[in-house]
Amino acid sequence: MKVASPTGGHRVSGYQFTLSSAVSDKPRAYEAWTLPLQEGEEVQKMFPPSTNGPVASLGKVLGNRTTLYKYLNPRLFVVVSRTHSGASIAGGVEDATEEGGSTTDNQNGTNTPKKSTGKCAIRVLDATKGSVIYHREVASYDDVCDLHASLTENWLVWHYYEGAEDGLGSKGWRVVSVEFYEGGGVDEKTRSSDMSAYSNATLDLTVYEESFVFPHGITAMAPTMTKFGITSKDMIFATKNNKLQSFPRRYLDPRRPHRKPTSEEMEEGLIQYDPVVPDDPKRVISHYYQIAGTQHILTTPSLLESTSLVFSYGSLDLFLTRVSPSGTFDVLSESFNKAQLVVTICGLVGGILVVRPVVGRRKVKAGWYL
């Protein structure tokens, strides 16, 4: 919740509800914690966890048979804030355009930010006591904090625009993938999903983080969700060139090695780190349709564990489709030979009908000659 303080600043506050029969028969809210923001900083967005579905696995088994246990605190949420500034911050890019101006990206057909006008901050907070689990700051451009985030289980993905630093590097869109694990390393288990919100161990976690160059700006994002949580997750992006794209989690794994993977890492399914997320047209799930004005993406399980339903909506178009991140492992393929299956079953049934009386007679004879 965004609250203005008496000094003119802003803060994020958490409230608890209590029911006291001595005061009132209705629940009353009182402030439980407060997180002061920096001077000139305002909350722009809040993102609750994207899914509350079942968690099939509490940890990730590594190639050397050790385990990283997922940090599954159910009280986490994401806060995106912006700090206004009249001057460009370090790492920003000065441009000849007027403040608030932009330039057209011919490749994507969209406006890309040019002038740094402040900072964007992303925080992951514990809703019960206001603890900061994760915090990063990036530059904001064109007086806009165009930052999107999605949190599911122990996986946080956020997307932003990055300008060149002092004329070096490259400008473009970035996606950051973050994973939270319990304890300080492998085989350390703190039972974060069942832990008391007031335990000091809620801050005992390990963070893996990696950034990638993303091919497009986006307007919304959401992870896939399945019935039992067994299927691997994809992240669905609504891009500014009016498409829906699905990227596997292994592409965005922050533990991807910066060298050739070892045999143990390959056993985990890790692939070598590539700073650029490939713009694969096969990952476009909106087919040849132009999905304009997408502002939100909803995902929900289907009756099949392999399949997740994806629905996008916004100011203009509605679009519904289905995706299978791990393939349709619970559906027979079109090339499956059903006739051969029927013939095989009929043959087995016929064999049973023929052999059954023979076996019965042999048992009777064996009983007489005992």
Side-chain angles (χ1 to χ4, degrees):
M1 179 179 296
K2 181 174 66 174
V3 182
S5 68
T7 59
H10 290 85
R11 64 179 187 265
V12 180
S13 299
Y15 289 81
Q16 288 186 352
F17 289 88
T18 59
L19 182 61
S20 176
S21 58
V23 179
S24 173
D25 58 348
K26 296 181 180 180
R28 298 176 63 88
Y30 67 92
E31 190 174 80
W33 56 266
T34 297
L35 176 67
L37 301 180
Q38 300 176 9
E39 182 179 356
E41 186 176 6
E42 295 182 355
V43 173
Q44 300 288 306
K45 308 171 186 175
M46 289 190 179
F47 299 96
S50 297
T51 59
N52 293 315
V55 179
S57 174
L58 297 179
K60 178 181 291 186
V61 180
L62 308 185
N64 58 5
R65 299 301 180 265
T66 57
T67 303
L68 285 172
Y69 291 97
K70 297 178 181 178
Y71 184 76
L72 299 173
N73 187 339
R75 300 170 294 273
L76 299 184
F77 70 102
V78 181
V79 176
V80 175
S81 61
R82 179 175 178 272
T83 303
H84 298 273
S85 175
S88 298
I89 66 172
V93 179
E94 293 290 346
D95 191 75
T97 58
E98 297 181 359
E99 183 173 352
S102 61
T103 183
T104 300
D105 185 340
N106 294 327
Q107 181 179 0
N108 297 340
T110 58
N111 290 333
T112 54
K114 291 295 291 182
K115 188 176 181 62
S116 172
T117 56
K119 292 182 180 179
C120 284
I122 179 172
R123 296 179 176 89
V124 178
L125 304 181
D126 188 317
T128 302
K129 59 182 181 180
S131 302
V132 179
I133 305 299
Y134 174 84
H135 179 209
R136 292 291 183 271
E137 289 185 352
V138 295
S140 65
Y141 294 87
D142 294 350
D143 205 31
V144 174
C145 189
D146 190 11
L147 192 152
H148 299 268
S150 177
L151 175 64
T152 177
E153 294 184 5
N154 68 321
W155 187 33
L156 169 69
V157 179
W158 53 286
H159 178 281
Y160 71 102
Y161 178 82
E162 182 178 273
E165 298 181 0
D166 299 329
L168 302 176
S170 61
K171 298 180 290 184
W173 301 100
R174 303 288 188 269
V175 62
V176 180
S177 180
V178 186
E179 288 184 346
F180 305 106
Y181 292 97
E182 296 178 354
V186 296
D187 291 335
E188 292 193 24
K189 191 174 184 179
T190 60
R191 298 184 179 274
S192 56
S193 58
D194 302 325
M195 187 186 304
S196 169
Y198 300 100
S199 171
N200 292 330
T202 55
L203 297 179
D204 185 13
L205 71 155
T206 301
V207 178
Y208 291 91
E209 181 177 8
E210 191 62 85
S211 64
F212 303 86
V213 177
F214 200 74
H216 305 288
I218 68 171
T219 58
M221 60 190 296
T224 56
M225 182 179 178
T226 55
K227 189 174 183 179
F228 300 107
I230 299 173
T231 303
S232 61
K233 293 184 182 295
D234 279 8
M235 188 62 67
I236 311 297
F237 296 91
T239 63
K240 291 187 177 181
N241 60 347
N242 300 330
K243 295 180 180 179
L244 289 182
Q245 285 187 277
S246 173
F247 290 92
R249 183 169 182 171
R250 67 193 303 250
Y251 282 10
L252 303 176
D253 195 324
R255 297 180 57 251
R256 288 175 60 177
H258 288 243
R259 46 167 173 72
K260 186 177 180 180
T262 63
S263 58
E264 292 182 349
E265 291 170 337
M266 293 177 65
E267 187 177 348
E268 293 180 49
L270 294 176
I271 56 178
Q272 186 172 353
Y273 173 74
D274 186 346
V276 179
V277 176
D279 188 14
D280 187 357
K282 295 180 181 178
R283 308 306 308 178
V284 177
I285 61 175
S286 54
H287 313 294
Y288 56 85
Y289 297 106
Q290 293 288 311
I291 315 300
T294 300
Q295 297 173 346
H296 304 279
I297 298 176
L298 297 178
T299 60
T300 186
S302 68
L303 296 178
L304 299 174
E305 168 58 27
S306 65
T307 306
S308 176
L309 301 179
V310 179
F311 177 66
S312 67
Y313 65 98
S315 59
L316 189 58
D317 290 339
L318 306 176
F319 184 77
L320 175 66
T321 188
R322 60 186 180 184
V323 294
S324 300
S326 299
T328 53
F329 56 84
D330 50 1
V331 179
L332 294 178
S333 64
E334 295 180 358
S335 60
F336 184 80
N337 194 335
K338 299 181 179 65
Q340 184 178 357
L341 176 63
V342 173
V343 171
T344 302
I345 294 175
C346 291
L348 291 174
V349 172
I352 292 173
L353 294 177
V354 172
V355 174
R356 185 175 182 179
V358 176
V359 173
R361 287 195 296 268
R362 288 184 177 179
K363 286 184 177 180
V364 172
K365 289 182 180 180
W368 278 103
Y369 290 103
L370 285 177

